[in-house]
Amino acid sequence: MNVKGVGNRKSLKTESRAKSSGRNLRGYASSGAQNISVKQGSYQQETSDLLSRILSRENMLVALKRVESNKGAAGIDQMDVKSLRPFLKDRWPDIRQEILEGNYFPRAVRRVWIPKPGSKEKRELGIPTVLDRLMQQAIHQVLSPEFEPDFSNRSFGFRVGRGANDALKCARGIVRSGYRHVVDLDLEKFFDLVNHDILMPKIHRKIKDVKLLRLIRRYLRSGIMLEGVKIPSEQGTPQGGPLSPLLSNILLDDLDKELEKRGHQFIRYADDVSIFVKSKRAGERVLASIECFLPRRLGLKLNKKKSKVGRPWSCEFLGFSMTTDKRAKLKPSRKSLKRFKGKVKQLVRQGRGRKLASFITYDLNPFLRGWINYFRLSDVRKVFHELDEWIRHRLRCIVWRQWKRPLTRFKRLMQCGLGENQARLSAFNGRGPWWNSKGAHMNFALPFKLFAKLGLVILLESVRSFNTSNEPPWYGTVCPVV
């Protein structure tokens, strides 16, 4: 058999078909090769551009300042934030080259547990090394603008220009428009159960850089160091790294899109999801549907014990609750008030042996400012008036304890302007500090004007001075779906 002849006949047939179809076989082959080379060149150019943007001097400096400002604990290498800048001066060229060549491997994260507020349970955190926190922050700064435009308008957590206040205003507007039932979804151990094989294709939709995708995968699978033993991380995105919030939004964006497609009114802040409906029956139907959707599409589980259908005033939205009025009003939830009082009690115990002025200035006021800056969105003012009175009673209680002996208390009350008989009866009444802090004699000795002079933060005044002129255009109405 003449193999050469067979090959010639096949080539002749191919040429004849090309001629009959009006195509030049050589020209077609050359143009195809040119197209392939162009595509490969543009792909490599896109890849190198994205990675070079992450490793650029400008982006790395911004990431370094952000990591330094956030401070934070050291990872498994025991390097603190202060040592990062000197370390980079010596090692950054080598580290950069390793990343470009795809030879950089992140270190395992250090596992720690922190108590959950208002619960005996503890939340698991993974603390990366400061170098890995720097790299994750640099990646986040470049990838976030790529994904941000496609995120849902109902997602408020870990996004630029959006925050908890925006989510609360949106929830308030939805309830005021007539959605008086809420489906409160609680994702079971969300950050611990993220499926890497489901998450990575969602990142790949936007990012085609193979080396960058490999680096993100290595961060997901970097492992956890526990008592000197490295535990492989087959799933999850450890809380504590700058990249985890963005990855959580990427994964849960499919849930947002599904809820939008169904026409639901909802808000989402990180893994906290609240869906608003008009009846309890509709809420139960939505809850059952989402319970099937999450494991099938996202590989997540719903915590059945904590997920429920209820009324807005019986649920908690990012530390807030609502009133039963037709025009619903925001107010701090009971759990938030309980945590607030617990923290103030703790501070008061620590400040018993100190001067009242220094305790107020350096211990109490910073906490009060931070708390009221978050809760000043509340529409109910009475709560803050009662808290102000309660705080002043606590401070008077400190002073009564510091006076200790009845004779000392008698002299101090006299110095504050009380009559001799009233001062004697008050000082020797045998009652406890808390009872006396509410008494008329202590209110006269330590009036409101004295605390104002000492610079005590007045919660009610802070709420009244809050400027609400910068409300979003959908304030008081249903937040639009975009």
Side-chain angles (χ1 to χ4, degrees):
M1 183 176 179
N2 189 352
V3 178
K4 186 175 181 180
V6 174
N8 290 337
R9 284 198 298 272
K10 287 184 177 180
S11 63
L12 288 172
K13 287 181 180 179
T14 306
E15 288 181 5
S16 62
R17 287 175 183 173
K19 288 178 181 179
S20 62
S21 61
R23 292 184 299 179
N24 187 346
L25 188 62
R26 293 181 181 179
Y28 176 75
S30 62
S31 63
Q34 185 178 1
N35 289 337
I36 293 172
S37 63
V38 169
K39 288 181 180 179
Q40 289 177 347
S42 61
Y43 176 77
Q44 291 173 358
Q45 183 68 25
E46 178 186 354
T47 298
S48 60
D49 285 348
L50 188 60
L51 202 55
S52 62
R53 280 168 53 195
I54 293 174
L55 299 175
S56 66
R57 178 179 176 83
E58 295 79 9
N59 187 57
M60 294 304 300
L61 283 174
V62 173
L64 179 60
K65 291 178 181 178
R66 186 67 179 270
V67 171
E68 289 177 337
S69 64
N70 289 339
K71 299 180 181 179
I76 62 172
D77 59 354
Q78 300 301 317
M79 182 191 297
D80 57 8
V81 176
K82 295 180 181 179
S83 305
L84 179 58
R85 195 177 286 262
F87 173 79
L88 292 174
K89 289 182 179 179
D90 297 333
R91 295 293 309 280
W92 175 243
D94 297 333
I95 295 171
R96 187 177 187 277
Q97 190 63 28
E98 287 181 6
I99 295 171
L100 289 172
E101 294 175 356
N103 298 325
Y104 179 79
F105 289 88
R107 304 286 296 273
V109 300
R110 181 167 66 89
R111 176 181 284 179
V112 296
W113 286 272
I114 60 173
K116 288 185 177 180
S119 174
K120 294 182 180 180
E121 299 179 1
K122 292 187 176 181
R123 178 183 287 111
E124 180 182 332
L125 289 182
I127 302 178
T129 63
V130 288
L131 178 60
D132 287 330
R133 291 210 295 271
L134 173 68
M135 286 308 307
Q136 288 190 36
Q137 181 63 35
I139 295 171
H140 181 278
Q141 291 169 180
V142 173
L143 293 193
S144 183
E146 300 289 334
F147 289 95
E148 184 68 27
D150 294 332
F151 284 153
S152 170
N153 192 41
R154 300 299 186 88
S155 170
F156 297 92
F158 311 117
R159 296 183 61 186
V160 179
R162 288 169 170 260
N165 282 357
D166 300 314
L168 291 165
K169 291 173 185 176
C170 185
R172 179 175 58 187
I174 294 172
V175 174
R176 286 178 177 178
S177 65
Y179 292 82
R180 309 283 284 182
H181 292 77
V182 60
V183 183
D184 189 10
L185 301 182
D186 185 272
L187 303 182
E188 184 176 355
K189 296 181 180 179
F190 168 71
F191 286 94
D192 300 332
L193 298 178
V194 171
N195 190 313
H196 298 168
D197 295 330
I198 295 177
L199 173 61
M200 291 306 297
K202 299 183 187 303
I203 302 174
H204 186 63
R205 294 173 188 171
K206 286 278 186 181
I207 307 302
K208 308 301 181 182
D209 189 333
V210 178
K211 291 182 179 179
L212 180 56
L213 291 171
R214 187 185 297 122
L215 181 60
I216 295 173
R217 169 78 76 162
R218 286 175 180 174
Y219 274 115
L220 292 173
R221 303 179 69 91
S222 59
I224 300 169
M225 190 66 70
L226 181 62
E227 297 179 356
V229 179
K230 183 178 178 180
I231 303 173
S233 51
E234 301 293 337
Q235 59 184 4
T237 59
Q239 287 180 275
L243 198 55
S244 293
L246 175 62
L247 297 181
S248 67
N249 277 337
I250 293 173
L251 180 65
L252 290 176
D253 187 58
D254 279 13
L255 175 61
D256 298 340
K257 296 296 192 294
E258 179 68 18
L259 294 175
E260 288 178 353
K261 186 173 70 174
R262 298 182 185 184
H264 290 310
Q265 299 291 338
F266 71 97
I267 59 168
R268 182 176 68 81
Y269 191 93
D271 59 332
D272 293 332
V273 186
S274 298
I275 307 171
F276 298 89
V277 293
K278 292 189 175 182
S279 68
K280 184 177 180 180
R281 186 176 178 181
E284 291 173 348
R285 186 172 60 251
V286 170
L287 181 60
S289 176
I290 297 301
E291 187 178 351
C292 297
F293 171 82
L294 288 173
R296 187 179 70 252
R297 290 281 298 274
L298 301 179
L300 300 173
K301 296 180 181 179
L302 200 64
N303 191 330
K304 296 182 181 180
K305 293 182 179 179
K306 295 183 178 179
S307 300
K308 60 181 180 179
V309 180
R311 293 286 197 168
W313 44 88
S314 63
C315 297
E316 185 176 5
F317 306 93
L318 302 172
F320 281 80
S321 183
M322 294 189 190
T323 62
T324 58
D325 304 345
K326 186 173 182 180
R327 185 170 175 79
K329 298 178 182 179
L330 290 172
K331 64 176 183 178
S333 67
R334 292 182 180 179
K335 290 183 180 180
S336 299
L337 295 175
K338 185 178 180 180
R339 287 195 293 266
F340 171 82
K341 290 186 176 181
K343 180 63 177 178
V344 172
K345 288 179 182 178
Q346 181 184 352
L347 292 173
V348 166
R349 282 193 294 269
Q350 296 172 358
R352 284 177 183 174
R354 300 177 55 190
K355 290 184 178 180
L356 189 63
S358 62
F359 168 71
I360 291 174
T361 303
Y362 299 109
D363 290 58
L364 186 58
N365 275 351
F367 169 71
L368 295 180
R369 288 194 190 98
W371 191 85
I372 197 60
N373 279 340
Y374 181 77
F375 284 99
R376 63 184 179 179
L377 187 65
S378 172
D379 302 308
V380 180
R381 303 290 191 255
K382 183 180 178 182
V383 177
F384 302 104
H385 177 68
E386 293 173 351
L387 287 178
D388 284 328
E389 291 182 344
W390 181 83
I391 291 169
R392 289 194 293 272
H393 289 159
R394 282 286 165 188
L395 294 176
R396 293 184 184 111
C397 190
I398 291 179
V399 175
W400 186 262
R401 287 178 181 275
Q402 288 177 348
W403 288 347
K404 292 184 179 179
R405 299 177 182 178
L407 185 60
T408 305
R409 291 167 179 167
F410 170 71
K411 293 179 180 178
R412 296 297 186 190
L413 291 173
M414 288 281 290
Q415 291 174 1
C416 292
L418 256 70
E420 182 177 353
N421 291 334
Q422 188 178 359
R424 182 179 290 107
L425 290 173
S426 301
F428 292 90
N429 60 25
R431 300 279 189 171
W434 183 245
W435 187 91
N436 279 281
S437 69
K438 295 182 177 181
H441 54 283
M442 287 300 290
N443 279 269
F444 181 85
L446 303 175
F448 173 82
K449 292 181 180 180
L450 175 65
F451 293 112
K453 187 177 180 181
L454 292 175
L456 177 65
V457 172
I458 309 302
L459 301 180
L460 184 59
E461 290 183 1
S462 300
V463 173
R464 285 174 176 170
S465 63
F466 177 47
N467 183 14
T468 58
S469 61
N470 295 324
E471 298 287 3
W474 38 262
Y475 171 67
T477 61
V478 178
C479 178
V481 177
V482 176

